[in-house]
């Protein structure tokens, strides 16, 4: 006699035990192949000719194979591994297997294209590819839910596996406080390593492999339930989690030997800070602003003109704290002046007007050159030679030794921008949970209903617009000194280099509107991808368009979504009538008819 519970039909009609064993064998085969040579020449980046020592894309493949193998063994219920899949599903195995095949297939294809054919592949590459294919095909034979079949006459293999299995998991065992805090520290440490590895990738092939393996691995961790459990722990120890996140971010410059990649991190922080400001306007208040980058330009030009550079038309030099306050104040004034007449519009009309404002700003600063208009911004030449910051005797343009580590100039700006982003995150979180924040959400959901309930829609929207402009202006004051020059072409609606209005809006939508971590992740991805894959510069907008189409189809709430968005964009079945109720109704109708 056989009993099955919560069992669904697999994609392939393969016995679950055989499918799991084949999946594990394929992952192990690919893992072993990473210790063999994949090419006979070192011309391919990463030097895949060494036997016994993985390098480059082999390391990423090894990580994907190890993760797939661990998820597969966890499905057996082996003691010590069941914690990997608290969600109790086989989806993590399939996702990890797909990531493994994607990375392995990309590597084989890249070697063949760059070296001139498959003849350049060594047996190790073929073994890894065959193992990855076996892993994916076998994983399709796993049931969609955890296999908990009880058979009266188990096979010898099942008897052996049953002897290794741990008892079926019930409610997760509560860990001691020190263990949960240690998990938080370890999680942020691993996150720091993963982000640092991605920023430090030295060639495009490695970065593409990094994107593939990281994307599938993170999705697999979500499906496994590990991220939900980690989220519960960080919520329980919120202050410790915030401190750990700040420490992990502050440690990044100490992991860099040069400023080459620190500059990328600084620009990511600038981009993410501005995206968070836009998230107030778009994510919380629901105002589609297509000219938001102009407020970043207002702050940057304000700081540049009072920086003491010889190219400034005013010839003044303010201390940094004064230039930050001035940049924020000028951006605030522009936000109020632009928002007062335009925020009475809604929807597409508001989007068109804000797009026009962005273009007017770019054209205006381009014409203030002393010929077409007053000499203020030097027109298309911009404001060059902006000096480095000097904050209470601390020169941001010089290297400094801290704790025995020499930090370069961009590391100084990184720390400054990190503090600015913390300020923006604090403002966003406080504003979002305040009375004004709830009014923003009400306006976003239904402005007519919110107005009928007594909310002054125009005033609330103007506050959101002004606050978003102020935060963008603060980021702009730092950007002016980091870039050392400010030109009109930096502040356009769409261009090859972020930040611009299209990139900022895409970062908010991609990451998840109305959240804090969503725009941060979206901004990091949208800045790193163009920076690392410069050969795709002519196809960036096409790629972003395709990515947004796929996102709207499969995850319309964004990569990181709040609970409201999940309920709004996905069918939860909360209003479905239970089957037994329908059966009872049908039975009653039949009896009545009889």
């Amino acid at each position: 006699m056989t009993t099955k519970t919560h069992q669904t039909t697999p994609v392939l009609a393969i016995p679950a035990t055989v499918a799991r064993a084949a999946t594990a064998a394929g992952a192990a085969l690919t893992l072993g192949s990473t210790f063999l040579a994949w090419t006979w020449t070192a011309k391919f980046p990463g030097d895949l000719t060494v036997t016994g020592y993985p390098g480059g894309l082999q390391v990423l493949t090894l990580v994907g194979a190890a993760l797939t193998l661990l998820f597969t063994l966890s499905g057996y219920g082996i003691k010590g591994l069941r914690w990997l899949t608290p969600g109790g599903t086989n989806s993590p195995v399939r996702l990890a297997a797909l990531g493994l095949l994607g990375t392995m297939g990309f590597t084989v294809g890249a070697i063949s294209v760059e070296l001139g054919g498959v003849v350049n592949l060594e047996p190790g590459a073929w073994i890894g590819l065959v193992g990855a294919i076996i892993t994916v095909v076998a994983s399709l034979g796993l049931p969609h839910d955890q296999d908990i079949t009880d058979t009266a006459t188990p096979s010898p293999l099942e008897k052996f596996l049953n002897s290794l299995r741990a008892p079926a998991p019930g409610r997760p065992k509560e860990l001691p406080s020190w263990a949960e805090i240690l998990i938080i520290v370890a999680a942020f440490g691993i996150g720091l390593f993963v982000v640092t590895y991605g920023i430090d990738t030295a060639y495009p092939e490695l970065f593409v492999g990094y994107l593939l393996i990281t994307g599938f691995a993170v999705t697999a961790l979500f499906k496994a339930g590990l991220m939900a459990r980690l989220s519960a722990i960080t919520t329980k120890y919120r202050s410790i989690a915030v401190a750990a996140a700040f420490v992990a971010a502050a440690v990044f410059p100490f992991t860099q030997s040069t400023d080459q990649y620190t500059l990328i991190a600084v620009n990511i922080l600038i981009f993410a800070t501005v995206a968070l400001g836009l998230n107030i306007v778009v994510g919380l208040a629901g105002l589609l602003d297509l000219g938001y980058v102009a407020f970043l330009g207002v702050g940057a030009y304000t700081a540049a003109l009072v920086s003491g550079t010889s190219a400034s038309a005013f010839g003044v030099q303010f201390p940094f704290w004064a230039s930050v306050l001035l940049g924020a104040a000028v951006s605030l004034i522009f936000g109020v002046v632009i928002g007062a007449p335009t925020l009475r519009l809604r929807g597409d009309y508001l989007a068109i007007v804000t797009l026009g404002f962005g273009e007017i700003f770019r054209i205006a600063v381009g014409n203030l050159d002393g010929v077409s208009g007053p000499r203020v911004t030097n027109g298309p030449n911009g404001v060059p030679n902006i000096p480095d910051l000097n904050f209470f005797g601390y020169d941001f343009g010089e290297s400094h030794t801290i704790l025995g580590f020499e930090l370069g100039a961009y590391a100084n700006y990184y720390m400054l921008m990190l503090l600015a982003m913390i300020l923006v995150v604090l403002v966003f979180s406080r504003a979002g949970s305040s009375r004004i924040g709830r009014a923003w959400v009400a306006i976003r959901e239904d402005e007519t209903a919110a107005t009928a309930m007594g909310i002054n829609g125009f005033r609330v929207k103007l506050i959101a617009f002004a606050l978003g402009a102020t935060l963008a202006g603060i980021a702009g004051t730092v950007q002016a000194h980091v870039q050392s020059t400010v030109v009109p072409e930096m502040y356009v609606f769409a261009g090859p280099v972020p930040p611009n209005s299209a990139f900022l809006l895409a970062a908010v939508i991609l990451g998840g509107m109305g959240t804090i971590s969503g725009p941060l992740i979206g901004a990091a991805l949208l800045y790193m991808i163009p920076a690392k894959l410069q050969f795709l510069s002519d196809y960036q907008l096409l790629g972003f368009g395709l990515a947004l189409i796929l996102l709207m189809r499969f995850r319309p709430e964004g990569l990181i979504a709040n609970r409201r968005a999940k309920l709004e964009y996905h069918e939860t079945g909360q209003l479905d009538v239970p089957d037994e109720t329908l059966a009872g109704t049908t039975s009653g109708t039949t009896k009545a008819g009889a």
Side-chain angles (χ1 to χ4, degrees):
M1 179 179 178
T2 302
T3 60
K4 297 182 180 180
T5 58
H6 301 289
Q7 189 85 322
T8 57
T9 304
V11 178
L12 297 180
I14 305 175
T17 304
V18 176
R20 197 174 299 279
T23 303
L29 187 65
T30 304
L31 190 149
S33 73
T34 60
F35 293 90
L36 302 176
W38 284 7
T39 65
W40 62 272
T41 175
K43 292 182 179 179
F44 187 81
D47 191 7
L48 309 183
T49 63
V50 181
T51 299
Y53 188 80
L57 285 164
Q58 288 177 326
V59 175
L60 297 177
T61 305
L62 187 149
V63 172
L67 187 63
T68 305
L69 186 60
L70 288 174
F71 277 137
T72 305
L73 295 178
S74 176
Y76 279 124
I78 296 178
K79 299 175 183 178
L81 291 178
R82 190 180 282 276
W83 62 271
L84 283 172
T85 53
T89 67
N90 289 312
S91 297
V93 179
R94 284 189 289 272
L95 287 168
L98 288 173
L100 176 61
L101 179 60
T103 307
M104 190 69 226
F106 168 75
T107 304
V108 170
I111 293 174
S112 302
V113 171
E114 294 189 19
L115 299 184
V118 296
V119 70
N120 295 280
L121 296 172
E122 288 289 301
W126 292 112
I127 293 173
L129 182 60
V130 171
I133 294 174
I134 293 174
T135 304
V136 172
V137 173
S139 67
L140 297 178
L142 297 175
H144 293 296
D145 293 331
Q146 187 70 21
D147 186 7
I148 49 176
T149 303
D150 296 324
T151 306
T153 56
S155 65
L157 177 60
E158 289 174 330
K159 290 181 180 180
F160 172 73
L161 295 176
N162 287 334
S163 66
L164 298 177
R165 288 180 179 174
R171 187 174 181 178
K173 183 179 178 181
E174 186 173 353
L175 299 174
S177 299
W178 64 267
E180 293 180 332
I181 294 174
L182 188 61
I183 289 175
I184 294 175
V185 174
F188 280 103
I190 294 173
L192 172 64
F193 175 79
V194 172
V195 173
T196 302
Y197 187 91
I199 294 177
D200 292 351
T201 49
Y203 47 93
E205 295 85 356
L206 185 62
F207 184 71
V208 173
Y210 166 81
L211 288 180
L212 288 172
I213 203 68
T214 303
F216 280 100
V218 171
T219 307
L221 292 176
F222 271 101
K223 287 292 185 179
L226 284 175
M227 301 303 289
R229 181 168 292 187
L230 177 62
S231 177
I233 295 176
T234 54
T235 302
K236 182 178 180 181
Y237 301 96
R238 186 176 183 85
S239 58
I240 296 177
V242 171
F246 174 75
V247 171
V251 167
F252 172 78
F254 295 93
T255 65
Q256 305 297 306
S257 58
T258 65
D259 270 353
Q260 179 182 0
Y261 299 118
T262 307
L263 176 59
I264 296 178
V266 174
N267 288 322
I268 288 175
L269 288 182
I270 294 174
F271 192 12
T273 302
V274 181
L276 271 176
L278 179 61
N279 198 24
I280 294 178
V281 180
V282 177
L284 294 182
L287 306 174
L288 185 56
D289 189 351
L290 299 182
Y292 185 76
V293 74
F295 298 119
L296 176 68
V298 170
Y301 265 98
T302 302
L305 292 175
V306 298
S307 64
T309 176
S310 58
S312 173
F314 301 105
V316 296
Q317 184 174 2
F318 285 11
F320 175 65
W321 62 267
S323 64
V324 169
L325 294 179
L326 182 61
V330 174
S331 299
L332 171 64
I333 293 173
F334 267 83
V336 173
V337 170
I338 299 302
T342 60
L343 290 179
R344 301 184 185 277
L345 303 174
R346 298 187 187 182
D348 298 337
Y349 300 102
L350 176 62
I352 294 172
V353 171
T354 54
L355 176 62
F357 162 65
E359 289 300 302
I360 290 172
F361 170 79
R362 180 181 63 82
I363 295 172
V365 295
N367 287 333
L368 297 178
D369 56 357
V371 178
S372 302
R375 182 182 176 272
V376 179
T377 63
N378 295 327
N381 296 324
V383 184
N385 303 322
I386 300 173
D388 289 307
L389 291 175
N390 195 304
F391 194 57
F392 293 108
Y394 188 91
D395 192 347
F396 281 68
E398 297 181 356
S399 299
H400 298 273
T401 301
I402 300 178
L403 301 177
F405 294 89
E406 185 177 356
L407 299 182
Y410 290 123
N412 301 324
Y413 286 106
Y414 175 89
M415 292 297 187
L416 177 63
M417 203 60 229
L418 182 61
L419 293 176
M421 191 182 71
I422 291 174
L423 173 64
V424 174
V425 169
L426 181 62
V427 171
F428 182 91
S429 60
R430 294 296 184 183
S433 58
S434 66
R435 181 179 180 181
I436 293 294
R438 293 192 294 271
W440 288 337
V441 174
I443 290 292
R444 181 191 67 193
E445 297 300 324
D446 193 328
E447 184 174 352
T448 303
T451 304
M453 296 300 294
I455 296 177
N456 188 334
F458 173 75
R459 182 175 65 87
V460 169
K461 290 191 294 184
L462 186 60
I463 292 175
F465 210 73
L467 180 59
T470 304
L471 297 180
I474 293 175
T477 59
V478 180
Q479 186 203 32
H481 293 276
V482 172
Q483 302 292 343
S484 73
T485 185
V486 178
V487 293
E489 287 74 17
M490 296 171 60
Y491 310 103
V492 296
F493 171 72
V497 180
N500 52 62
S501 293
F503 275 73
L504 290 170
L505 187 61
V508 174
I509 297 175
L510 175 67
M513 294 189 297
T515 63
I516 294 177
S517 57
L520 299 181
I521 295 176
L525 289 175
L526 291 183
Y527 189 90
M528 284 178 62
I529 291 175
K532 293 294 184 178
L533 305 179
Q534 296 182 1
F535 64 93
L536 295 178
S537 59
D538 295 335
Y539 305 98
Q540 284 183 12
L541 294 180
L542 175 62
F544 289 148
L546 293 176
L548 290 177
I549 290 174
L550 293 176
L551 187 72
M552 293 299 102
R553 171 59 182 85
F554 296 103
R555 195 171 178 83
E557 71 274 18
L559 297 177
I560 305 295
N562 54 27
R563 185 175 301 176
R564 178 190 296 271
K566 290 181 180 179
L567 295 176
E568 180 179 356
Y569 290 110
H570 294 279
E571 296 181 2
T572 59
Q574 294 181 359
L575 301 179
D576 292 347
V577 179
D579 294 338
E580 54 270 19
T581 303
L582 292 176
T585 304
T586 304
S587 175
T589 304
T590 304
K591 290 180 181 179

